Structures are given as C-alpha cells and as structure tokens.
Amino acid sequence: MLRRFARGFGIEGELPDEVQPDPHPEAVVEDTRPGSLLDTGHGPVRQVVERRNTGYPYSPCPIEELLRSHVTDNARYLQDHRLAGFNREEALFLDTETTGLSHGAGTVAFLVGLGWFEDQEFVMEQLLLDDFDQEQAQLATLLERLEDKQYLVTYNGKSFDRSVLENRLVIHRFMTEREAHLRLMPHLDLLHVGRRVYRGLLENHRLPTLERELLDYLRIDDISGEMVPQHYFQYMLSGEGRHIDSVLKHNFDDVLSLAHLADHLLTIIDPARLPGDPTIAGNLGKLFAASDHLSPAIQFLEHALATPPGEAIKLARLLARLYRKEQRPPADHEELWSNLRTAFPEDPAPLIELAKLAERKKELVHALELTEAALALDPDNEKLWHRRTRLIKRTTP
C-alpha cells in the first residue's frame, strides 16, 4: 500500500520493507523534574524533601528556638479548648497549591506542602502530581503523615485547603473513619488568630502582609497566586522542572513561614506581657474573654481604654459585662464609666451608663441629672427622652 501511495506521487524505485534505524539518534533528554518518585500502595507520587536547622530566611535563630513549650502553652487561650495541649512535635504544618480557587470537586491540590519538627530540624515534604493519575498516591501519603500528628497548622486552611482536600478524599473514596482525622483534628488556623490579634492595624491579612509586617520578611521574585495553575499545567505538559521551580519555592516559603508566624502569634498571646499598643491590648482582651479567661481579659481591656473614643466605649461595655461575671462591686463599674466620662467629655455613652447605675441604686435625682447631661450631647436620642420622662415621673411627688 505504501509503494502504491508513493507511485501515485511519482516516486520511483523500491521502498524498504522496514524502517531502518537512524544512524544519528537524538541525545537522551535529561529528566529535570524535581525530587524523586515515592512508591506507595496506590502508585507513585513525586516527592521533594528538604531539611532546615535554621530559621532563615524568616529569622537567623536556630529551629530549636521556635515554638518552645512556654510559647505553645499560650494556645490554651484560643477559643478551641482542644488546642490547650498544642506542641510543635505533634503539629503538622500544611499548605496546598491548587488548580483553581473554588472549593468545588473540579479543584485539585496538585501540590501538598507539609512541614514538621523532627529532632532539631524542620522537615519539609512536598507531594507533587506529575499527572492526575498520581492523586490517590498523594492523598494516601498525606493521610499517613496526618496519622502521626495531633494538630494541624494552616493559613486559611479551615476555609480553603482543608475543604479542597476533603473533597478530593471523598471523590477517591478515602473519607472513612480513619481519614476523617483531617476534619476532626484540632486545627490552628493562623489567619483567624492573626485577624484577632492585629485587627485594625494591618492593611489586609494576606500571608505576605503578615510576613512583612510581623516577621520583617519580604519575598523576592515570588510568583503571584493567579499564575500558579498556569505554571503547573506547563510543567505537566512538558515535564520540565523549570516550569514548577517557582511554584515549589512559593509553597516552601508558605509552609516555613507557618512555623515562624505561629511562634510570633503565640508569643504575643501571653497574659503576663501587656503590649504597649492599646489596640493590640484590646484585641487580646477580647480574645481572652472569648476563651473565658476573665482575669487576663479584664487586665488587658483596662489597659486598652486609651484607644479612640468609639473603640474605648465598646471595650468598656465588654469590660462591664466581665465585671458582672466576676461579681465586681458597683463601685468598680462607677469608676470605669467615671474615668471614661473624664477622658471623653463629648461622648454621651459614659453618662448614660452612669445614669443606669444611679437608677439601680435608687438615686433617681442623680440619674435624671446624668440623663439630661447626656441629652445635651445627644438631643436626638429617643431612648434618652423616654428615660428622662420615666425618671421625671418617678421623682415627681
């Protein structure tokens, strides 16, 4: 058939019966993909491993100085009581790179970055998919790592990373009782902690912002998040490591910074150290109050009353509730609002609270005087007018 086809195009002569070997074969292409293949019971997955014994680039300190017990003990002041026993040896630090930003079943975590402390080193393991048929091996390896740990540490993992991984586990029928450990294990999401501690002080709460402002680290030549999927697909189609190197570095920095950021935030959440910034003191006071640690909450909130008027009044109302929980005497309440009345003479709120206290003590004339003083500052307040009318009736013979 080939000969007839050739004659049809005017090609004369006999054609060889079989293809002859090329006397000048092309050179074998070197495999530039990172790491090596890890064999699992579900097939191979690409594994990249690195170990660090210093805190560089986030700090010059050695790894053993990060997250020491006197720092991790402060995890008990977070709202999840299960974090009370948090320690670095039983923590797994996790960050994923995905094919998209949705939480749907079509989003794949093509790179799972894991970090943990081992002896005096920080071990970094990245599980990379050369193709999607390696996903079961990747997920099975992830579950093995989770089995050895009690705590999960992420940045926005509760909303995104964990959700994506849970979807993939369900799709691959891995979400049994054993695999549900991912969903049920105590989870330290540093985005939530960072927001609580530094609310009102940062332009945003993205991880690079916290690295820059809190860790004094600025990423150089870091790949932008929206470009990550594009680089991965180029890598998957070409098999060339140069397309994925920047993504691996980005993910490596994300996981390493989790350990440093956790150390910083848990160091700040220390009831024995009052911060100089009243805004941070107020944020920590709220955090202690939310976890039902009343004594440090009161101490920090009292220290935070030097904030601007609007925020100070909010903190004072929370402080008053905590006073009632501790069954503080009325004199403490009066002192609180009297100090605020002096500090913020143009704000009617302290006068209103003092009027309420006076009315509870049956000091109706004084309550009426305070209410009228508050009305002079806020004449459009209908509730104050109703209070004034009621007090006038009660004080009129």
Side-chain angles (χ1 to χ4, degrees), residues 330 334 350-372 383-395:
E334 290 176 6
L351 290 165
I352 294 171
E353 298 301 327
L354 287 169
K356 292 177 183 177
L357 292 171
E359 190 171 357
R360 291 192 194 106
K361 292 168 62 178
K362 307 300 184 183
E363 297 175 356
L364 302 182
V365 174
H366 185 44
L368 179 58
E369 292 172 352
L370 291 166
T371 301
E372 289 180 336
K383 290 184 178 180
L384 282 178
W385 284 108
H386 288 306
R387 178 182 295 277
R388 177 180 180 275
T389 302
R390 187 182 70 250
L391 288 170
I392 288 175
K393 289 180 179 179
R394 295 184 66 185
T395 55

Side-chain angles (χ1 to χ4, degrees), residues 185-205:
M185 67 193 304
H187 188 163
L188 177 59
D189 191 328
L190 298 177
L191 170 63
H192 297 187
V193 182
R195 278 178 175 168
R196 297 293 298 270
V197 175
Y198 287 98
R199 185 180 300 277
L201 293 172
L202 302 176
E203 57 181 304
N204 59 59
H205 291 89

Side-chain angles (χ1 to χ4, degrees), residues 77-79 193 195-200 269 275 278-305 307 310-319 321-322 325:
Y77 297 110
L78 301 175
Q79 284 182 269
V193 182
R195 278 178 175 168
R196 297 293 298 270
V197 175
Y198 287 98
R199 185 180 300 277
I269 303 171
T279 300
I280 296 178
N283 291 338
L284 289 173
K286 295 176 189 176
L287 190 150
F288 292 139
S291 59
D292 223 22
H293 290 84
L294 301 187
S295 181
I298 289 172
Q299 181 187 12
F300 276 63
L301 290 172
E302 288 176 340
H303 181 67
L305 292 177
T307 54
E311 184 62 22
I313 298 302
K314 292 179 184 177
L315 295 177
R317 290 196 172 109
L318 173 58
L319 197 51
R321 290 199 295 272
L322 299 183
K325 271 191 172 184

